[in-house]
Amino acid sequence: MTTTQATPRTPVPARCSFLRTALALQTLTIFVQAVSAGLLLGTEYGEILHSVGARVMYGASMLYLLAAVLAWKPGGGSPRAVGYASGFLVLASVQVVSGIAHLSALHVPLGVLMFGASLVAVVRR
C-alpha cells in the first residue's frame, strides 16, 4: 500500500478573507441595484427596492473600507486596498447624491462604472 503525502497549506489570514467577502458583497449589491433599477422602470414596487438597495449598497461600500483598513493596519497588508475602498465609497456617495437629485445622466453611467470596477477588483483579488 502506498502512502500519500499531504501538501502543506498556507493558512489564509482571516482579514484577507473578510476583505474578499466584503468586496464580493459590494459587487453583488451593485448588481442588485442594476436589477432594481430595471424594476423601477416597470413596476410600482421598484422604487422601494431601489431605495432600500441604495442603503445596503452604501453599507457594503463602508464594510469594504473597514475590511481594507483591518487587512492593512493590524493585518500588515497592502495600503492599496484602502485606496480602492476609499474610491468606491466616494463613488457610492456621488451615486447616492445623483440618484436623490434624479440626475440620470450621471447616475446610470456611474452605476455601470462602479459595477465594472468592483467586478475587476473581485477578479484581481
Side-chain angles (χ1 to χ4, degrees):
M1 191 185 300
T2 61
T3 59
T4 60
Q5 284 186 320
T7 56
R9 294 182 185 216
T10 55
V12 177
R15 287 181 176 81
C16 286
S17 178
F18 179 47
L19 182 63
R20 285 187 191 115
T21 302
L23 181 56
L25 178 66
Q26 173 185 275
T27 305
L28 178 66
T29 59
I30 294 171
F31 178 74
V32 168
Q33 280 301 92
V35 172
S36 69
L39 292 173
L40 176 70
L41 299 173
T43 63
E44 57 194 44
Y45 58 87
E47 184 177 356
I48 294 169
L49 286 177
H50 198 66
S51 178
V52 169
R55 289 166 177 82
V56 173
M57 183 274 304
Y58 197 77
S61 294
M62 288 190 287
L63 182 67
Y64 175 42
L65 179 58
L66 174 67
V69 169
L70 290 176
W72 164 59
K73 198 63 173 170
S78 171
R80 184 178 294 183
V82 176
Y84 289 146
S86 298
F88 276 114
L89 189 57
V90 168
L91 289 176
S93 299
V94 172
Q95 183 72 347
V96 168
V97 168
S98 66
I100 291 170
H102 300 287
L103 300 173
S104 298
L106 175 63
H107 188 71
V108 173
L110 186 57
V112 172
L113 173 72
M114 286 179 65
F115 178 68
S118 193
L119 195 58
V120 166
V122 164
V123 170
R124 285 188 170 180
R125 274 263 146 222

